[in-house]
Amino acid sequence: MEKILVTGASGFIGSFIVEEAIRRGMEVWAAMRSTSSKAFLQDERIHFIQLDLSDEERLTAQLQQHAFDYVVHAAGVTKCLHKDDFYRVNTLGTQHLVNAILASHMPLRRFVYLSSLSVYGPIRERQPYQEIRESDTPRPNTAYGKSKLAAEQYLDSLAAQGHNLPYVILRPTGVYGPRERDYFMMAKSISQHVDFSVGYRRQDITFVYVSDVVQAVFLALAHGKTGSKYFLSDGEVYQSRAFSDYLRHELGDQWLLRIKAPIWLLRVVTFCGEYWGRLTGKVTALNNDKYHIMRQRNWRCDISPAINLLGYRPEVTLEEGVRRTVAWYKANQWI
């Protein structure tokens, strides 16, 4: 039986990866912190393991007794109180994990790293917008994007040094679906009759439903080429209000107050949100990274390498994905 380790297993994407691995008959090990919830990890076949990604020496000792065929590294943070926390978790955590794997000499067949389209930042922003491609030079303008890019570069550096780590990098655009909490904030706002957006210049945005990300993960595990990197989306491009329109429809086409604010106002709001978060010690979605993400106008990306080389075929359109997601929110009394 093939043995797989999934980090960040209690998280949104990680929990779906665990479910698919179980469905495929794999021996699944879910890595998580002792404080993490097991709400979406109820299957009795799951093996749990606590890994300390902040301490490389301890992590190496924790992995010594295991030999995994596959590792999917989905652990990470998307919002933090301090910029250094992104680097500590997303970059150093990845470095510690791969170093511990190499030190253990396990016969690893594939290591899949879940990165992000955010590693590229605001490029090709002149209209008409063009797809971001791997050949473009990354210019991340968020602490999150910079930390994910640094992790990617570390993996590349190991390959350049001759280390035998069969890694594949996936770069999904905005991932949504059941259990996800950031896009849920939009659904909750619309359920309360308010739709808030920013910027008057055209914005092309892209999405990918969580099951399509999981599809790509297992395609990469099966035959991803070492060192390869793939963008993931559903293959379509949407205007900024498409997501809210679908949400509104699934929530009953109720009356809606649409508020479109200038970019400068978003800057003020996120600046205050960042300050308030540090003052209270509570992580908020209204932070400096959020400002740069919402300001970016071009989120197009070229998924043809994933289609042609991995066999990736996105199956869920935004309309269908929103329908499934809202149905889950209702069934689980989130809305």
Side-chain angles (χ1 to χ4, degrees):
M1 181 182 293
E2 294 175 320
K3 188 175 179 181
I4 184 172
L5 170 69
V6 182
T7 70
S10 64
F12 164 48
I13 300 176
S15 62
F16 281 101
I17 295 171
V18 167
E19 288 182 0
E20 179 61 18
I22 290 174
R23 191 189 69 79
R24 291 170 178 251
M26 305 174 83
E27 180 183 322
V28 182
W29 287 75
M32 53 194 294
R33 296 186 298 270
S34 59
T35 56
S36 298
S37 170
K38 295 182 180 179
F40 305 126
L41 300 172
Q42 295 297 309
D43 195 294
E44 295 179 352
R45 292 168 290 184
I46 300 173
H47 302 269
F48 292 99
I49 180 173
Q50 291 184 26
L51 297 181
D52 186 356
L53 298 182
S54 67
D55 187 328
E56 185 176 322
E57 184 176 347
R58 184 180 180 189
L59 181 58
T60 301
Q62 290 171 326
L63 289 177
Q64 280 293 339
Q65 57 186 316
H66 295 279
F68 297 103
D69 298 294
Y70 305 105
V71 173
V72 179
H73 184 34
V77 289
T78 58
K79 48 185 178 288
C80 295
L81 283 177
H82 305 285
K83 288 183 179 180
D84 290 347
D85 291 338
F86 285 105
Y87 179 78
R88 178 179 56 81
V89 177
N90 294 341
T91 307
L92 289 182
T94 302
Q95 292 182 15
H96 295 163
L97 178 61
V98 297
N99 288 346
I101 289 172
L102 291 172
S104 71
H105 302 291
M106 67 176 68
L108 192 66
R109 294 164 62 180
R110 201 83 68 215
F111 177 95
V112 172
Y113 176 56
L114 281 177
S115 185
S116 169
L117 176 59
S118 291
V119 302
Y120 275 81
I123 63 176
R124 298 182 178 270
E125 293 257 279
R126 292 184 179 180
Q127 296 189 41
Y129 303 135
Q130 297 180 340
E131 293 177 333
I132 298 171
R133 299 181 175 87
E134 186 183 345
S135 57
D136 292 321
T137 300
R139 295 203 307 268
N141 61 347
T142 62
Y144 170 73
K146 291 174 182 177
S147 69
K148 299 295 272 189
L149 178 60
E152 287 192 14
Q153 292 171 335
Y154 187 73
L155 292 172
D156 290 337
S157 72
L158 291 175
Q161 295 168 26
H163 292 284
N164 183 27
L165 182 74
Y167 70 98
V168 177
I169 295 171
L170 299 179
R171 296 163 168 164
T173 183
V175 187
Y176 70 103
R179 308 174 189 170
E180 197 278 334
R181 293 188 176 275
D182 288 343
Y183 286 116
F184 166 69
M185 294 175 61
M186 183 185 294
K188 186 176 181 180
S189 177
I190 290 174
S191 72
Q192 297 171 343
H193 311 290
V194 177
D195 177 30
F196 180 81
S197 60
V198 295
Y200 300 109
R201 190 159 61 97
R202 170 176 167 168
Q203 184 181 44
D204 285 1
I205 51 180
T206 49
F207 297 93
V208 59
Y209 190 69
V210 62
S211 64
D212 282 330
V213 175
V214 174
Q215 174 202 159
V217 166
F218 284 88
L219 287 169
L221 290 176
H223 50 257
K225 180 182 177 182
T226 295
S228 55
K229 306 173 180 68
Y230 303 99
F231 296 116
L232 301 176
S233 78
D234 67 6
E236 301 295 333
V237 178
Y238 304 91
Q239 297 308 299
S240 55
R241 64 177 279 176
F243 196 80
S244 61
D245 284 345
Y246 287 136
L247 283 171
R248 181 190 180 196
H249 177 69
E250 295 302 325
L251 290 168
D253 287 315
Q254 54 195 6
W255 68 269
L256 192 64
L257 175 63
R258 294 189 185 274
I259 302 173
K260 184 178 283 289
I263 290 291
W264 66 263
L265 180 58
L266 175 66
R267 172 74 284 184
V268 172
V269 170
T270 55
F271 177 83
C272 293
E274 181 108 353
Y275 178 79
W276 179 252
R278 293 178 181 177
L279 192 66
T280 61
K282 296 181 180 180
V283 178
T284 173
L286 295 174
N287 52 42
N288 288 332
D289 266 18
K290 189 68 171 181
Y291 165 72
H292 291 295
I293 289 170
M294 294 183 72
R295 182 183 181 183
Q296 186 168 325
R297 299 288 96 180
N298 178 32
W299 290 95
R300 292 171 172 258
C301 58
D302 179 16
I303 66 170
S304 59
I307 291 173
N308 297 330
L309 301 177
L310 284 183
Y312 172 64
R313 297 291 185 272
E315 299 174 346
V316 183
T317 64
L318 183 61
E319 183 176 12
E320 172 61 17
V322 169
R323 186 193 68 77
R324 297 183 189 182
T325 302
V326 172
W328 187 90
Y329 288 157
K330 291 179 178 179
N332 289 269
Q333 300 181 333
W334 284 29
I335 291 180

